[in-house]
Amino acid sequence: MNHEEINPVPIKHKYFTPGVFILLIIALNGLIFLMGRFFFGLGSVTNLNDQYPWGLWIGVDVAAGVALAAGGFTTAALGHVMHKEEYNAIIRPALLTAMLGYTFVAMGVFVDIGRWYFIWHPLIMWNGSSALFEVGICVMIYMSVLYIEFLPIVTERFIGKVKLPGFLSGLNNFVDKLLRLLDNGLSKTMFIFIIAGVVLSTLHQSSLGTLMVIAGPKMHPLWQTPILPLLFLLSAISVGFPMVIFESLLASRSLGLKPEMHVLSKLGSMIAPILGIYLAFKLGDMFIRESFVYLKEFNTVSVLFSIEILFGVIIPLRMFLSHKVLKSPLFLFIASALVVFGVLLNRINNFVVAYNPPYSTQSYFPSFGEISVTIGFAAILILVYRFIVLNFPVISLPGLRTAQPTKYTIKGAKK
Amino acid sequence: MPGKSRRDFLKTTAVIGAGVAGLSSSTAKAAPKNILSEDRMGVLVDTTVCVGCRNCEWACKTAHDLPAGELHSYEDRSVFTEKRRPGTKALTVVNEYSSGKNSNLPLDVKVQCMHCDHPACVSACIVGAFSKEENGSVIWDTDKCIGCRYCMAACPFQVPAFEYDKAINPSIMKCDFCFNRTKEGKLPACVAICPVEALTYGTRTELVKIARERIKRNPDKYVDHIFGEYEVGGTAWMYLSSKDFSELDFPKLGTNPAPGVSESIQHGIFAYFVPPVSLYALLGGIMWISKHRKELDEEGKL
């Protein structure tokens, strides 16, 4: 798996910066509202009611969270399954984003469900006809797979460097041996988990689209279609690489690294065709069902649908076709950010905007508490990401040879 | 042709899958839950007969241990100024509408869970906490529910309610067709108390016959529509009215069962795990080939 040209290292950079303090405040604010939810019930923090059972937390934390973590399985498919080694440098950051992304999806579910202490029920109480059950089971298994895929990064960090404090130091050799055993076992079996990860992702990314099909006429016809699962899968695949680019450029900016433009440009050149396929299905579906008639009216729904298609798909699609955009970090960032924004808006549209219950007296808008928790979770995710890339070998520095030796040389050197 | 043989292989797999499916579905039919019994019960609500006394609201609350207050307090007709919905505090409510054809009397509509023959909540529930019982009632199991509220998003009548104000063990609240009373041979509380026999309790087949008979005998009085006979594949509770049902705030629904499309997608994606397993095999194949091609290329260079 290791390629000569890439050598991921823990980045040397200080953790605390003014930006980090702002994120800490946002995180703290979210946690305070979260306490309200656990002490006084969902109604005390959210604007949800019997007409609108699902709101921002399901739309953004869960549905958009799963979609935006798609970088994990798309890069795994590209780098490992199709064996394109030139992309190895981005696989680890994408894997970390996916792992953290799914962890926060699970946390989003945990705080949204009324009986959080029964979150394990789907493991033993099965309902095969439920799309939500399928999503739940796949997400649980996939999250475990992501943690397993991340383990080699942990073993690599500690093999040959186990230094337990004080009286535990006697165990150093033993722990080291254990890590080596684990690492050895993992590198022999990893392909099983990698393929499983891709299969599980295609399953639950599409089933997430099936979720709202059962709402039938309660969902606006601009979004309600039997091909929702396909649209969800295609949009998840098309947001995979843009999310990796978006996050890689952000990280290199924040950590003062040189952006890996040679990999990112190549990755960017693959986005336009994928977006094109998504757009074709999205528009084709709209014309077959003749739902475009709803675009003639000027209201929130038609405006949000148009923004989603125009700014989230068509403009970035055009941008990714341009050579100039692919070569410029700034334009590449803007184009990727637009796709990310488009998919985020699409999930919000599907789960919140399109949902129009028959007896609502006023439409739903998320409360300050709901928004606080959502951005609080996002802030914590960024903080944990930062901590991990500073302490574990995730990001590769091109051309840097002075870093730690690769794990294979460590294995060879016997103590 | 390699393509053809692969297609044949898939076809054979599908046939085997279908065979297995046939076996498993025939055994599944022996289970008492979530199948439609021939003599499942229902209620026929005649909105032209109902006088809006709201005694059923009181009886329902009493039967379900909800704070009910005094029965005479329900004589207050000022509640009819706004349209109410069943919720966590009342599993059924009566709303009043202006009169229909050939009458000056107002129409009163009792609202509660419709107890669908093909319930969306049963299909949607992540842990299978809902079930369609043999006697026609759709009930909820508190021991399974995780409070995800997908049933509320799925229900075509927007009936299930959730206790948003509870931090611990919030419940999904909806009419359970007095499952505990009917088990003992008693009538549902609302049916038992109704002073004007606006509610008729009986087997669903019988009720459809009665409703048809009433429409036939009084074609001037009723609109020729039994709401619930075919809506979303049929419901246990059915309504007669002298006015179009859309004017009584009934949702406009097709005749296909609410969970139909989503279940066929769901079963299509899984289809006895053939698609996921084939995808796994396909990806494994691609992985093996691309790796070997790489190795061969490198050997060639040396």
Side-chain angles (χ1 to χ4, degrees), chain A residues 119-184:
Chain A
I119 195 166
W120 50 272
H121 272 186
L123 284 176
I124 52 164
M125 298 169 190
W126 293 10
N127 180 11
S129 65
S130 167
L132 189 62
F133 170 74
E134 205 256 290
V135 172
I137 287 289
C138 277
V139 166
M140 280 194 216
I141 304 175
Y142 183 49
M143 206 164 81
S144 320
V145 167
L146 284 170
Y147 277 94
I148 293 170
E149 283 184 42
F150 194 78
L151 269 180
I153 300 177
V154 179
T155 55
E156 183 182 321
R157 163 74 178 76
F158 289 111
I159 283 176
K161 274 176 281 187
V162 182
K163 264 199 202 102
L164 293 168
F167 69 96
L168 287 174
S169 58
L171 292 170
N172 277 352
N173 254 329
F174 175 70
V175 173
D176 193 67
K177 267 201 192 111
L178 214 64
L179 285 175
R180 277 164 205 268
L181 196 72
L182 182 67
D183 188 67
N184 195 22

Side-chain angles (χ1 to χ4, degrees), chain A residues 248-249 252-253 257-262 264 329 398:
Chain A
S248 169
L249 288 173
S252 46
R253 170 96 192 195
L257 307 169
K258 214 170 138 261
E260 294 187 76
M261 283 308 287
H262 61 288
L264 299 184

Side-chain angles (χ1 to χ4, degrees), chain B residues 114-118 156-157 204 225-239 245 250-258:
Chain B
M114 300 289 285
H115 298 276
C116 305
D117 281 349
H118 304 279
F157 299 98
R204 192 176 180 278
H225 182 184
I226 309 167
F227 189 95
E229 186 185 5
Y230 297 117
E231 273 78 9
V232 287
T235 57
W237 282 63
M238 290 171 290
Y239 288 75
F245 283 99
F250 281 84
K252 185 138 185 57
L253 297 165
T255 54
N256 291 327

Side-chain angles (χ1 to χ4, degrees), chain B residues 181 187-195 199:
Chain B
R181 286 173 58 97
L187 283 173
C190 53
V191 177
I193 203 168
C194 184
L199 308 175

